[in-house]
Amino acid sequence: MHVQDYIRTIPNFPHEGIMFRDVTTLFLDPRGFRMAVDQLVQPYAGLRFDKVAGLEARGFILGGAVAHQLSAGFVPIRKAGKLPGKVISQDYELEYGTATVELHDDSIQPGEKILLVDDLLATGGTAEAGITLIEKLGGVVVGCAFIIDLPELGGRKKLEDMGMDVHVLCEFDGA
């Protein structure tokens, strides 16, 4: 089986016309989950990472497992107002408005090598905001890894245009 075989599609969620790609079915299956984590880590074998940054929320599940495999620390990039202590913030565009992600201001040291992880790459706005936060603290984003890419939405191109190495396990057509 392939990673995409474990991913459920839910039509018209959260809105009419959206084909929601649900990775929770992948997470439920021990072999599927292990396969996904192994495939996310594989291109980075032999490289040293200081931290893995996971984007809220499914990026936390993946990021923790990937950090464990890479013997790296884990950094959560959260929605605004969810982290205690001193944070830095970055706004990003949504389809209808803006949102904000935050990072503890002491979670990344200058020069640390970071792998950014999330389940899905759509427009790339959340990932771009996460990269901006990491770079504000002096971190070096060495790669970005995702289970799913929705190529029609242009996120991969956006990140590659920023000079990012982007690794995805599978693609789905449609939003």
Side-chain angles (χ1 to χ4, degrees):
M1 288 185 64
H2 302 280
V3 168
Q4 63 264 32
D5 298 329
Y6 293 93
I7 298 168
R8 170 174 54 186
T9 298
I10 302 174
N12 302 313
F13 182 83
H15 304 290
E16 186 70 29
I18 301 292
M19 299 297 283
F20 186 82
R21 308 307 177 173
D22 181 17
V23 295
T24 63
T25 50
L26 171 69
F27 296 165
L28 284 171
D29 187 283
R31 282 179 295 210
F33 185 52
R34 177 63 171 198
M35 179 191 327
V37 171
D38 288 347
Q39 288 179 14
L40 286 171
V41 169
Q42 189 278 327
Y44 306 106
L47 298 178
R48 186 186 66 78
F49 289 92
D50 297 294
K51 310 253 173 61
V52 172
L55 295 166
E56 188 163 337
R58 290 169 297 275
F60 295 175
I61 296 164
L62 293 167
V66 168
H68 173 76
Q69 290 294 96
L70 294 174
S71 297
F74 175 74
V75 177
I77 298 176
R78 304 240 23 211
K79 294 176 182 171
K82 302 287 186 179
L83 288 172
K86 198 170 175 192
V87 298
I88 61 170
S89 301
Q90 182 65 43
D91 295 333
Y92 64 99
E93 296 293 321
L94 297 170
E95 187 175 354
Y96 302 105
T98 61
T100 304
V101 288
E102 295 179 334
L103 184 61
H104 278 126
D105 71 347
D106 61 354
S107 60
I108 295 172
Q109 302 306 307
E112 285 188 323
K113 294 180 181 168
I114 312 296
L115 176 63
L116 183 75
V117 174
D118 203 2
D119 67 319
L120 179 82
L121 178 58
T123 65
T126 310
E128 179 183 28
I131 292 164
T132 300
L133 287 173
I134 292 165
E135 291 177 344
K136 280 183 183 178
L137 294 178
V140 178
V141 180
V142 176
C144 302
F146 304 89
I147 292 177
I148 301 167
D149 180 25
L150 303 177
E152 294 172 23
L153 298 180
R156 182 178 193 144
K157 180 175 178 358
K158 176 186 278 188
L159 298 183
E160 288 174 342
D161 287 349
M162 294 173 64
M164 294 294 124
D165 173 65
V166 179
H167 172 59
V168 297
L169 303 188
C170 63
E171 296 179 350
F172 284 94
D173 292 329

